[in-house]
């Protein structure tokens, strides 16, 4: 029994520290990196990278090792990209990023569900919050530009003007959104809070 105890204790320490190491992601800064580019590459908030690493500013040093916040699952990233694709086809790239930001702002807002999936599939007053869920276009694969816009929206998370709504005034059938405080217009979409 004593021999088994001495064998199991180091084994337990090995697994304990191995799991901890695998659970946290680290990025080593290279020439040309910025918090923004790292955030887009990993699909994480640059503001969270800064906070997690106790950085008072956005300056980076080559060779610096940055802890990265947890990223969303591949499934949620794909769902966000598909929503962007179906909601913002034909819109400028900035509008695609802004659509993704609306979803993330809702996740952060106590009045809405806590996950990307739950926000996208939310039913409000008997209607889906996003029309692509109703018409099925949410199932279409996202174009590369929409995938990049999703990662960029994640990097942008926690910044901006707090938009939690968007609509196209030319095609909207419900004009309730027009009663909200407009934050910006991009392409055919009006963003509001």
């Amino acid at each position: 029994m004593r021999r088994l105890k001495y064998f199991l204790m180091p084994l337990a320490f090995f697994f304990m520290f191995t799991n901890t190491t695998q659970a946290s992601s680290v990025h080593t800064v290279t020439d040309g990196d910025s918090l923004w580019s790292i955030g887009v590459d990993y699909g994480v908030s640059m503001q969270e990278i800064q906070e997690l690493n106790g950085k008072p500013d956005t300056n980076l040093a080559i060779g610096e090792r940055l802890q990265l916040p947890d990223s969303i699952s591949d499934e949620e990233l794909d769902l966000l990209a598909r929503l962007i694709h179906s909601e913002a086809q034909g819109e400028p790239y900035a509008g695609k990023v802004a659509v993704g930001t609306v979803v993330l702002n809702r996740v952060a807002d106590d009045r809405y569900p806590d996950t990307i999936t739950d926000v996208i599939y939310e039913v409000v007053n008997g209607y889906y919050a996003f029309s692509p869920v109703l018409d099925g276009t949410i199932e279409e694969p996202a174009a590369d530009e929409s995938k990049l816009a999703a990662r960029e929206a994640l990097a942008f998370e926690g910044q901006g003007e707090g938009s939690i709504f968007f609509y196209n005034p030319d095609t909207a059938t419900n004009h309730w959104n027009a009663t909200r405080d407009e934050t910006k217009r991009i392409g055919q979409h009006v963003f509001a809070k």
Side-chain angles (χ1 to χ4, degrees), residues 42-43 71-84 103-104 115-121 138-142 146-147 150-151 154:
Y42 290 94
S71 61
I72 64 171
S73 69
D74 290 342
E75 292 80 14
E76 283 208 315
L77 181 60
D78 179 61
L79 179 60
L80 181 61
R82 286 186 286 128
L83 179 77
I84 291 168
V103 173
L104 298 174
T115 69
I116 290 170
T117 299
D118 290 346
V119 163
I120 290 174
Y121 287 106
I138 190 76
E139 299 304 325
E140 295 175 5
S146 294
K147 292 176 184 177
R151 288 195 313 276
L154 286 161

Side-chain angles (χ1 to χ4, degrees), residues 16-39:
M16 184 171 76
F17 289 110
T18 301
N19 288 342
T20 303
T21 304
Q22 290 175 349
S24 62
S25 297
V26 176
H27 175 82
T28 303
V29 176
T30 60
D31 188 33
D33 278 350
S34 66
L35 287 178
W36 177 256
S37 67
I38 295 167

